[in-house]
């Protein structure tokens, strides 16, 4: 890496280009996914339709799980770049793209203070290219925006800690940034961002036996600022829902996940450690040197802060019974900066690593790369009509991945980080832009919506769906879509000529019998088949209209 690349605005420009290259492909043509993304997007659409930006609903059901921040951001994006009548998903995804990009840029900003601009650029690039972040940048959910809030808060916290260790006073701007980021994080996903900072600060205070430096964050003024931002919304939503929002979001959703398994998302401890090889790919290749360097220099200011950021939070999420891959993302900027610092040390000949760990990690990384290649190659064969793009991506992954593994096995150097980022830039955009959208047998809602568009019902008449109730179908067909049983689907079809019902094969007999009782018979307009990946069931959806007997 040349010195010119790290000067002035250049690192930021390079990171923006890397992020756009990774996050833009697939943003438009990847169909809306089940179930969380579709629920978030549909709730945002209903805010725009009703002009009620306080009450969060999916159809007629209250959605009292997450605060309103992400819905407001999505609503603003849709108002600028689309409209609520459209079923285009990409305007709802733009806040996630922006959040992931800002997280990378702010990781560089924090790293520049802690470990220097060269190492920070390497680390920020590894964060931007990590598969977990790339996935979240493509989805209209909370996690990419939350990541930006976490990094902003940790940047302010890290700068405050660094100044205290070096005997400098910290200006009010970082205190303001810290509390503003906490407020934004709360409005996006509740207590997660404050929890990350609290765990970091507590770990540092215990390790140093000194927490006086936290006074530089001006906690009294900061808490007042946080309250001024968060409390008005909190009071309003509590009043509007008669306290149901707090009971359900904190009691049922947040604390419920801390003490038990929700929605079958349970996993044992070390789940995230096993998942790391995929969700932090390709940067995981350099975690061996990063761990060795951080441990050896654990008394150093930068390493101490990064360890205090990643380790306590990691332990907590490993112990929480409910687990999802995205829960661990707030720890990844710290890991990425450890990677950047270790790679720079290797380039300067200062790295003393544990060769056994480096080789174990290299083997795990090679297996993960082989797995990614297998997925982009085989998924189109099983769920699409084959894909030349998948073959190209798999070939690149196998060839470039093998060469990168061999190079790492021989010697660690900063140049390998650039090669890893380029590898991600070659594979992941192909996967998101061509391979995933082409998996036709996984996108039942998209195909069902296309079938309905070919045989539209009378204006203003919704479509009924029996036996298939995924949120993506509601987003694709509109808010008034009826998710009902076979009897109500039959009643809807018999209510007026031209009314339509999508009926899953398992409900077909019941639908026909109920329709016959009403003096009607079904006329099939077409059918689509595929896998409902949310529950693992293969389904056939038939589109019917009614004909009087």
């Amino acid at each position: 890496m040349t010195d010119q690349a790290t000067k002035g605005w250049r690192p930021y420009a390079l990171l923006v280009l890397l992020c756009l290259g990774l996050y833009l492909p697939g943003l438009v043509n990847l169909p809306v996914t089940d179930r969380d993304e579709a629920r978030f997007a549909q709730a945002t659409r209903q805010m725009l339709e009703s002009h009620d930006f306080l009450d969060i609903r999916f159809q007629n059901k209250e959605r009292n799980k997450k605060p309103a921040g992400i819905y407001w951001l999505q609503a603003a994006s849709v108002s600028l770049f689309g409209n609520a009548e459209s079923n285009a998903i990409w305007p709802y995804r733009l806040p996630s793209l922006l959040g992931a990009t800002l997280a990378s840029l702010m990781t560089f900003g924090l790293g520049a203070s802690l470990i220097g601009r060269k190492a920070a650029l390497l680390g920020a690039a590894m964060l931007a290219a990590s598969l977990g972040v790339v996935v979240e940048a493509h989805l209209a959910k909370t996690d990419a925006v939350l990541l930006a809030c976490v990094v902003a808060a940790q940047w302010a916290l890290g700068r405050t800690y660094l100044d205290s260790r070096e005997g400098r006073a910290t200006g009010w701007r970082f205190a303001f940034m810290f509390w503003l980021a906490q407020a934004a994080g709360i409005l996006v996903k509740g207590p997660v961002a404050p929890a990350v900072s609290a765990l970091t600060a507590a770990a540092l205070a215990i390790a140093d036996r000194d927490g006086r430096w936290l006074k530089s964050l001006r906690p009294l003024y900061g808490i007042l600022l946080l309250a001024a931002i968060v409390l008005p919304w909190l009071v309003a939503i509590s009043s509007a829902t008669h306290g149901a929002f707090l009971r359900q979001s904190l009691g049922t959703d947040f604390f419920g996940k801390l003490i038990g398994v929700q929605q079958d998302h349970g996993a044992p401890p070390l789940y995230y450690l096993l998942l790391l090889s995929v969700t932090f790919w390709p940067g995981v290749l350099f975690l061996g040197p990063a761990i060795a360097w951080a441990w050896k220099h654990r008394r150093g200011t930068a390493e101490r802060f990064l360890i205090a950021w990643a380790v306590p939070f990691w332990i907590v999420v490993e112990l929480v019974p409910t687990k999802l891959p995205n829960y661990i993302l707030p720890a990844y900027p710290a890991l990425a900066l450890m990677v950047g610092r270790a790679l720079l040390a290797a380039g300067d000949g200062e790295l003393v690593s544990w060769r056994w760990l480096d080789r174990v990690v290299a083997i795990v990384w090679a297996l993960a790369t082989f797995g990614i290649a297998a997925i982009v190659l085989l998924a189109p064969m099983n769920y699409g009509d084959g894909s030349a793009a998948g073959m190209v991506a798999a070939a690149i992954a196998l060839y470039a991945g093998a060469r990168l593994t061999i190079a790492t096995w021989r010697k660690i150097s900063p140049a390998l980080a650039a090669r890893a980022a380029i590898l991600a830039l070659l594979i992941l955009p192909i996967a998101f832009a061509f391979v995933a959208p082409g998996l036709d047998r996984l996108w039942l809602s998209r195909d069902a919506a296309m079938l309905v568009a070919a045989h539209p019902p009378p204006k203003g008449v919704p479509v009924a769906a029996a036996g298939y109730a995924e949120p993506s179908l509601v987003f694709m067909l509109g808010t008034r879509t009826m998710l009902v049983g076979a009897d109500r689907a039959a009643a809807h079809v018999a209510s007026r000529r031209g009314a339509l019902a999508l009926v899953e094969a398992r409900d077909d007999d019941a639908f026909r019998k109920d329709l016959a009782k009403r003096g009607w018979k079904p006329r099939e307009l077409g059918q689509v088949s595929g896998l409902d990946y949310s529950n693992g069931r293969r389904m056939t959806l038939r589109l019917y209209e009614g004909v009087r007997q």
Side-chain angles (χ1 to χ4, degrees), residues 407-474:
T408 306
W409 192 278
R410 291 173 177 168
K411 185 180 180 182
I412 300 291
S413 71
L416 297 179
R419 290 174 59 178
I422 291 171
L423 177 60
L425 198 55
L426 290 174
I427 296 173
L428 299 184
I430 294 175
F432 282 95
F434 300 105
V435 177
L439 304 178
D440 295 332
R441 288 189 284 280
L442 293 183
W443 307 119
L444 267 172
S445 294
R446 180 186 68 179
D447 292 349
M450 292 172 64
L451 181 58
V452 170
H455 305 278
K459 188 175 181 180
V461 179
V463 176
Y468 180 71
E470 294 300 343
S472 59
L473 186 68
V474 177

Side-chain angles (χ1 to χ4, degrees), residues 100-299:
T101 303
L102 287 175
S104 174
L105 295 176
M106 290 188 291
T107 296
F108 172 77
L110 167 60
S113 298
L114 287 177
I115 58 177
R117 291 172 73 90
K118 286 184 180 180
L121 180 56
L122 294 174
M126 289 297 94
L127 177 70
S130 63
L131 182 56
V133 174
V134 175
V135 168
E136 292 302 329
H138 282 84
L139 300 179
K141 292 166 61 241
T142 56
D143 295 283
V145 177
L146 173 67
L147 184 64
C149 296
V150 167
V151 177
Q154 294 295 92
W155 184 359
L157 187 66
R159 181 58 184 267
T160 303
Y161 181 66
L162 177 65
D163 287 346
S164 74
R165 296 270 287 192
E166 296 183 354
R168 295 192 303 264
T170 303
W172 64 268
R173 290 177 299 175
F174 282 103
F176 179 78
M177 177 181 175
F178 178 81
W179 294 106
L180 188 64
Q182 299 294 353
I186 290 171
L187 287 175
V188 169
K189 204 170 182 176
V192 177
V196 174
S197 295
L199 288 168
T200 306
L204 290 170
I206 292 170
D208 295 341
R209 298 177 184 176
D210 180 13
R212 289 172 296 178
W213 60 276
L214 291 169
K215 294 179 181 178
S216 298
L217 291 174
R218 296 162 173 82
L220 177 60
Y221 295 109
I223 291 172
L224 290 174
L225 174 64
L226 186 149
I229 295 172
V230 175
L231 274 183
W233 167 79
L234 194 59
V235 170
I237 192 63
S238 297
S239 175
T241 61
H242 305 288
F245 181 86
L246 282 177
R247 289 195 303 271
Q248 294 175 26
S249 63
L250 285 178
T252 303
D253 188 58
F254 184 75
F255 289 114
K257 290 174 180 176
L258 294 181
I259 62 176
V261 176
Q262 288 192 349
Q263 301 173 341
D264 298 323
H265 295 315
L270 303 183
Y271 167 81
Y272 293 111
L273 186 61
L274 295 174
L275 205 62
L276 188 67
S277 62
V278 177
T279 55
F280 196 58
W281 184 95
V284 69
L285 178 60
F286 312 113
L287 270 186
I291 292 170
W293 174 269
W295 179 253
K296 181 182 177 182
H297 296 84
R298 60 190 180 276
R299 297 188 183 279

Side-chain angles (χ1 to χ4, degrees), residues 464-469 473 482-490 501-508 511 540-542:
Y468 180 71
L473 186 68
M482 301 167 59
L483 305 179
V484 296
D487 55 341
R488 288 190 59 193
L502 277 165
V503 182
E504 206 278 318
R506 294 172 181 83
D507 290 79
D508 202 72
F511 170 78
T540 297
L541 305 179
R542 297 186 177 94

Side-chain angles (χ1 to χ4, degrees), residues 14-54:
L14 288 172
L15 289 170
V16 168
L17 290 175
L18 175 62
C19 290
L20 293 180
L22 288 164
Y23 307 156
L24 279 178
L27 198 77
V28 174
N29 57 335
L30 181 70
V32 61
T33 61
D34 284 310
R35 291 180 172 128
D36 281 352
E37 181 184 39
R39 286 171 176 155
F40 276 106
Q42 178 59 32
T44 298
R45 170 194 273 169
Q46 290 179 216
M47 280 187 170
L48 291 166
E49 290 174 339
S50 66
H51 302 289
D52 184 346
F53 295 92
L54 186 63

Side-chain angles (χ1 to χ4, degrees), residues 374-387 390 435 438-439 441:
I375 289 171
V376 297
L377 178 64
L378 299 178
M381 298 179 184
N382 291 321
Y383 302 109
D385 297 323
S387 170
V435 177
L439 304 178
R441 288 189 284 280

